[in-house]
Amino acid sequence: MIRIDPRTVILLAGVMGAFMAGIMYALKRSYPPAIKGLGEWALALALISVGGVLGFGVGFLPDVVSITLPRLLFPSGLLLAYVGTQRFFGLTPRMWPWVVVIAAVVLAQMWFTFVAPSFHMRLVLSGSLGVCLLMAYVHLLHRQGVSTFARALTVGVLLTLMAIVLMRIVTTFIWPVGEGVLDTSTHHLIYVTGFSFGIVLLSVSLVLMATERLHSEVAYLASHDSLTNAFTRRHMNEVCAMEMERSQRHGHSMALLIMDLDHFKSVNDTYGHQRGDGLLVDFVTKVQALLRRPDQLGRFGGEEFVALLPETSLDEAMGVAERIRAACAASDQEPCRTVSIGVTTNHTAGDSVGSLIARADAAMYQAKARGRNRVETA
């Protein structure tokens, strides 16, 4: 009968962990800085990998290196993975309580390694710490909502690891635990093999989470203006076309507002482009606060913006436009810039997005010609 060598399993898991740590570090270097936590994930996998490789040396390396150090590196790696996931979701980590707990457990394990040797007590201590870390990790992901495949996979892997560790703790009180991590009893081999490959699966699930976030970031950047976070012109053309089709099908009215900040070029010339950029961001913030949830605001270029108001009559759209104009005119921020707005709605079944934009644009230029800081219709 072929027996599995625990030493080989531990070494393979360590090598695979190092490989995945390298992949995670490469992702950190190439992914947008907005995706946080990848550095902590890479370091976590590296620590767990080093712990596995050192565990391979039990029997021919000093106990402090092959037993104590891995017992420190494994929970430290799990903690860093947990901290990285907190940062991944935009949370502020609190590491120190866990650092104190890990230090206390490692010191207790050193006692049961060098003073009163007991593999059973080391298993119970390390297993209990691992269960606590894994429970905290699962709770963190549950709070964020398990809405994607990668998150669901990560939760499943963590729960599986927790079950393995709990079973190992229970079995220490039922069957002999052997003299060390290289024990070849069947239940110990199942524990070592399951936990080792569970760590590899955890690293894969973290890579998938990072990839999913990258896809969402790319999709967001493709549809949002990088400066103001308003929608891009391409996105607005698409949603306007969809809303036009829906409005014509159901006989609803839709409104389009084209807005242009007055004398904006003088802001860049006088105060600099950075101040001009701040003015654009402030304008978008003001407008979005005055729009409804279904309304959409996009930047068509420079200081020109367009707002789509679904199921809105001309009178209602004029009211919205006037509130936007008044909010800009009443600003006490220096430099204060007013806005000229052109408003239109779909008139006939033959209307298109292009015809609406042309009419609203003409109305906006009419507002400019009549003195600016005005709302005109077409």
Side-chain angles (χ1 to χ4, degrees):
M1 181 178 178
I2 300 176
R3 301 288 295 181
I4 299 175
D5 180 14
R7 195 189 299 272
T8 302
V9 173
I10 293 171
L11 179 62
L12 285 175
V15 171
M16 286 297 296
F19 179 71
M20 296 305 296
I23 291 177
M24 189 64 73
Y25 180 72
L27 295 184
K28 178 185 182 298
R29 294 289 301 273
S30 59
Y31 277 21
I35 303 179
K36 306 293 184 183
L38 303 189
E40 286 81 358
W41 285 349
L43 183 56
L45 295 174
L47 291 181
I48 293 173
S49 172
V50 172
V53 172
L54 292 178
F56 175 81
V58 171
F60 56 87
L61 289 177
D63 287 349
V64 69
V65 175
S66 61
I67 296 177
T68 302
L69 197 52
R71 300 283 182 178
L72 171 63
L73 294 177
F74 276 119
S76 298
L78 280 178
L79 175 60
L80 271 176
Y82 173 73
V83 168
T85 305
Q86 286 181 308
R87 297 194 65 229
F88 181 80
F89 289 116
L91 304 175
T92 302
R94 292 184 66 241
M95 291 182 59
W96 288 111
W98 284 109
V99 171
V100 172
V101 172
I102 290 174
V105 171
V106 170
L107 289 174
Q109 289 176 331
M110 292 180 67
W111 174 270
F112 290 111
T113 301
F114 302 107
V115 180
S118 172
F119 182 54
H120 172 259
M121 287 304 301
R122 294 204 303 269
L123 275 178
V124 172
L125 285 169
S126 61
S128 300
L129 176 59
V131 167
C132 291
L133 282 166
L134 291 168
M135 286 180 61
Y137 209 153
V138 170
H139 178 65
L140 169 64
L141 288 169
H142 179 71
R143 283 189 302 160
Q144 305 307 315
V146 184
S147 57
T148 67
F149 170 76
R151 290 190 199 177
L153 176 62
T154 306
V155 170
V157 171
L158 292 172
L159 289 174
T160 301
L161 286 172
M162 194 187 312
I164 292 172
V165 176
L166 282 171
M167 285 190 293
R168 186 52 179 146
I169 293 174
V170 171
T171 57
T172 61
F173 297 95
I174 301 175
W175 297 306
V177 296
E179 297 181 357
V181 72
L182 301 182
D183 178 42
T184 57
S185 61
T186 301
H187 58 279
H188 183 71
L189 286 172
I190 293 174
Y191 163 74
V192 171
T193 304
F195 189 82
S196 297
F197 285 99
I199 292 296
V200 174
L201 283 176
L202 177 61
S203 65
V204 171
S205 67
L206 294 178
V207 170
L208 289 177
M209 283 178 59
T211 303
E212 283 186 347
R213 176 63 63 83
L214 175 64
H215 289 167
S216 63
E217 288 285 330
V218 170
Y220 183 87
L221 291 174
S223 62
H224 288 76
D225 175 58
S226 59
L227 173 64
T228 63
N229 282 329
F231 287 115
T232 60
R233 181 168 188 161
R234 177 180 177 181
H235 175 83
M236 289 301 296
N237 284 332
E238 292 174 354
V239 295
C240 285
M242 289 188 292
E243 183 58 32
M244 173 69 74
E245 181 182 351
R246 192 179 73 88
S247 298
Q248 291 175 342
R249 185 169 62 250
H250 297 287
H252 294 158
S253 175
M254 61 173 281
L256 211 62
L257 279 61
I258 289 188
M259 301 165 282
D260 190 271
L261 295 178
D262 297 327
H263 302 296
F264 182 76
K265 185 178 182 300
S266 65
V267 175
N268 289 331
D269 294 341
T270 305
Y271 297 92
H273 287 277
Q274 186 173 5
R275 185 66 192 91
D277 289 347
L279 196 64
L280 294 175
V281 173
D282 181 63
F283 173 75
V284 169
T285 301
K286 288 177 182 176
V287 174
Q288 287 176 333
L290 296 171
L291 297 180
R292 306 165 302 178
R293 186 180 297 273
D295 301 336
Q296 300 204 48
L297 175 67
R299 185 183 181 190
F300 261 36
E303 67 275 19
E304 187 173 85
F305 295 84
V306 60
L308 168 65
L309 312 182
E311 300 186 24
T312 304
S313 67
L314 182 59
D315 288 341
E316 292 170 332
M318 287 290 290
V320 173
E322 181 57 34
R323 287 194 292 273
I324 292 172
R325 186 209 62 77
C328 292
S331 175
D332 56 359
Q333 188 177 7
E334 183 63 30
C336 176
R337 281 297 173 267
T338 57
V339 62
S340 298
I341 305 176
V343 182
T344 193
T345 58
N346 54 330
H347 293 166
T348 67
D351 265 335
S352 65
V353 174
S355 63
L356 256 69
I357 291 175
R359 287 205 301 268
D361 203 43
M364 184 270 293
Y365 277 108
Q366 188 176 40
K368 293 278 190 185
R370 292 181 176 179
R372 296 181 172 84
N373 189 25
R374 295 175 59 88
V375 177
E376 295 290 341
T377 64

